[in-house]
Amino acid sequence: MSIAEFALGFAGIIIGLGIADLLVSLHRLIRARARVTWDWLALSFAGLQMLLSVILWWYIYFWFRAHDGVSFLEFLPNILLLCVSFLMMAAALPDEVPAEGLVLREAYMANRAQPWTLLAVWMALNLVIQSLENWRLREFRLTEAVVAASLLLCLALAAAAARSTRPWVHVLAITIIALLFGGMMLPARFV
């Protein structure tokens, strides 16, 4: 078994648990739909969490495929990134619907600090991992600078959304983060 296969299996388990948690929360909301006042913003945020986690899975595949071996210290930031990814997905949607009902927008805004702060930490960890890799390879190309600038922008947007109750801030953050990360993966070839 190669290091890429080993790491991808581990990542798949952690990311799979997070996706399962997010889907179970969505399932509970759907089952209690008569008591739920739906909101597209909360569901968009959950969709963003799903997108970022799938992108992380592919990123780990590409990163470890390019390495013959890796030390525990080199793998540690990726473990932290996976743990934060799980926590982001677990915090994306409410786990229960109270008997008196749930207004999804109110629940999302009341709990916005936790998932958005986790997303900011996720962005910061991505930035650290990219910087460590560039330092290890002694490569600092324009591509890496663009990725670093994108991560910093996403980090700032996540921090702003964690503090703001204005829906437009959340819409802007979700849209830009989804476009930037989705755009980074579009040219990727999966072989």
Side-chain angles (χ1 to χ4, degrees):
M1 176 181 278
S2 72
I3 186 68
E5 292 167 336
F6 178 76
L8 197 57
F10 181 76
I13 291 168
I14 302 299
I15 291 170
L17 287 171
I19 290 172
D21 186 278
L22 191 146
L23 292 175
V24 165
S25 295
L26 179 61
H27 173 71
R28 288 179 180 152
L29 289 170
I30 291 169
R31 287 196 69 171
R33 65 185 167 274
R35 297 189 327 262
V36 175
T37 303
W38 293 92
D39 179 61
W40 62 271
L41 188 56
L43 296 175
S44 298
F45 182 75
L48 176 66
Q49 300 308 309
M50 181 84 78
L51 173 69
L52 293 176
S53 294
V54 170
I55 288 172
L56 174 61
W57 189 59
W58 281 109
Y59 159 79
I60 287 176
Y61 167 74
F62 288 123
W63 194 85
F64 284 102
R65 191 178 70 166
H67 292 78
D68 294 332
V70 66
S71 71
F72 177 74
L73 287 176
E74 290 172 317
F75 189 57
L76 186 59
N78 290 288
I79 293 171
L80 294 173
L81 190 63
L82 287 166
C83 291
V84 171
S85 184
F86 171 83
L87 293 172
M88 283 185 342
M89 286 185 285
L93 290 172
D95 291 324
E96 301 293 333
V97 177
E100 64 274 4
L102 178 76
V103 177
L104 205 48
R105 172 73 60 102
E106 291 174 7
Y108 169 78
M109 285 298 180
N111 297 306
R112 73 190 180 283
Q114 180 191 7
W116 280 104
T117 301
L118 286 166
L119 183 54
V121 170
W122 192 86
M123 294 296 173
L125 282 169
N126 269 297
L127 191 57
V128 166
I129 290 168
Q130 183 207 1
S131 299
L132 289 172
E133 181 67 6
N134 291 342
W135 177 76
R136 186 182 74 80
L137 296 174
R138 306 284 194 265
E139 292 182 6
F140 301 97
R141 299 181 303 239
L142 179 60
T143 306
E144 282 80 16
V146 169
V147 170
S150 298
L151 287 169
L152 285 171
L153 173 61
C154 292
L155 175 60
L157 288 167
R163 297 182 55 86
S164 178
T165 58
R166 295 184 175 145
W168 69 267
V169 172
H170 294 255
V171 170
L172 185 68
I174 291 169
T175 303
I176 290 174
I177 292 169
L179 288 173
L180 284 174
F181 273 84
M184 282 189 249
M185 289 304 290
L186 283 178
R189 287 193 40 85
F190 308 113
V191 290

